[in-house]
Amino acid sequence: MKELFVIPLDNRAEERKLFDTIHRADGVSFIGKGMALAVAFSVIGSSKGFVLEWGPIYWGLIGAGAGLPLVS
């Protein structure tokens, strides 16, 4: 069995974009990480919201709002 070691040779000279578009996608946009954290926090907030006073919908929205701006 042969092993393969790959190193990218092109250094990123341009700045990272906030959004990926259909014509230009580099795979490292910032919005994807924020959305993943917003989903995770909203799931945790809504599951804890069943025992808290405001309920799961409000706590899910609060969790999504808290998770989105964590990526900067």
Side-chain angles (χ1 to χ4, degrees), residues 29-39 64 67-71:
S29 65
F30 290 120
I31 197 72
K33 294 175 189 173
M35 287 294 178
L37 282 175
V39 167
L68 186 62
L70 286 179
V71 177

Side-chain angles (χ1 to χ4, degrees), residues 44-57:
I44 292 169
S46 61
S47 65
K48 295 293 183 181
F50 282 105
V51 295
L52 295 175
E53 186 176 341
W54 289 352
I57 294 176

Side-chain angles (χ1 to χ4, degrees), residues 5-62:
F5 184 68
V6 178
I7 299 175
L9 296 177
D10 57 339
N11 289 334
R12 199 175 285 274
E14 58 194 37
E15 193 172 318
R16 293 184 181 180
K17 303 291 183 192
L18 182 63
F19 296 104
D20 281 341
T21 64
I22 194 168
H23 302 292
R24 174 110 172 93
D26 57 359
V28 289
S29 65
F30 290 120
I31 197 72
K33 294 175 189 173
M35 287 294 178
L37 282 175
V39 167
F41 278 43
S42 67
V43 167
I44 292 169
S46 61
S47 65
K48 295 293 183 181
F50 282 105
V51 295
L52 295 175
E53 186 176 341
W54 289 352
I57 294 176
Y58 285 127
W59 283 108
L61 291 173
I62 290 169

